[in-house]
Amino acid sequence: MLSRLLREHQARQSERREQQERRRREAIAAATCLTEALTDHLNVGVAQAYVNQRKLDHEVKMLQIQAAQFAKQTGQWISMVENFNQALKEIGDVENWARSIELDMRTIATALEYVYKGQLQPSSS
């Protein structure tokens, strides 16, 4: 009778250990599934952030290239405007020079005209 009780006790303990081991494995499997599900959920967000970051990096590079091209073009425009401005100044200088020469020529022409008219008139002395 004692040996039977001992065997029953050992059988129940063995059954409890097996049940406990089975529950432990189930808990580990459930925890693993939960961890994988959480990791997958987080990875989706991280992957989307990575994709967005790559897009932003590409856009930044394109913007830098376009800004450099715009700066170069603006520099060319400024150079053209400065050259045009210089040409206008030179035209203004030539125009002033031409006016000055014209005024001098008129003065000389007037003086020559007076001298010529003075020679044509007979002297009344």
Side-chain angles (χ1 to χ4, degrees):
M1 167 124 170
L2 197 53
S3 78
R4 190 178 62 119
L5 282 175
L6 181 62
R7 275 184 277 157
E8 286 177 3
H9 174 70
Q10 288 175 344
R12 277 183 284 173
Q13 273 188 334
S14 176
E15 188 179 310
R16 284 185 189 144
R17 279 190 206 121
E18 287 175 14
Q19 188 179 17
Q20 189 175 18
E21 184 63 28
R22 189 176 62 245
R23 287 182 181 163
R24 186 181 70 77
R25 283 192 301 259
E26 288 173 357
I28 289 172
T32 302
C33 287
L34 176 65
T35 302
E36 287 175 358
L38 289 174
T39 303
D40 288 345
H41 179 71
L42 290 175
N43 282 343
V44 168
V46 170
Q48 186 62 42
Y50 179 74
V51 167
N52 290 344
Q53 182 63 40
R54 288 193 57 188
K55 286 180 183 177
L56 285 173
D57 288 344
H58 178 71
E59 290 294 323
V60 166
K61 286 179 185 176
M62 293 302 295
L63 183 61
Q64 287 173 339
I65 290 169
Q66 290 174 350
Q69 289 174 344
F70 181 70
K72 181 179 176 183
Q73 188 176 26
T74 302
Q76 290 172 344
W77 289 345
I78 289 172
S79 176
M80 286 174 39
V81 167
E82 288 174 352
N83 290 340
F84 181 70
N85 192 26
Q86 184 63 33
L88 285 178
K89 285 181 183 178
E90 289 173 5
I91 289 172
D93 291 344
V94 169
E95 187 178 352
N96 283 338
W97 175 78
R99 280 192 201 135
S100 176
I101 294 294
E102 183 181 4
L103 183 61
D104 289 346
M105 294 303 283
R106 285 183 191 205
T107 304
I108 291 170
T110 304
L112 288 174
E113 189 178 321
Y114 285 138
V115 169
Y116 179 72
K117 284 183 182 179
Q119 286 180 354
L120 287 179
Q121 291 180 358
S123 48
S124 35
S125 22

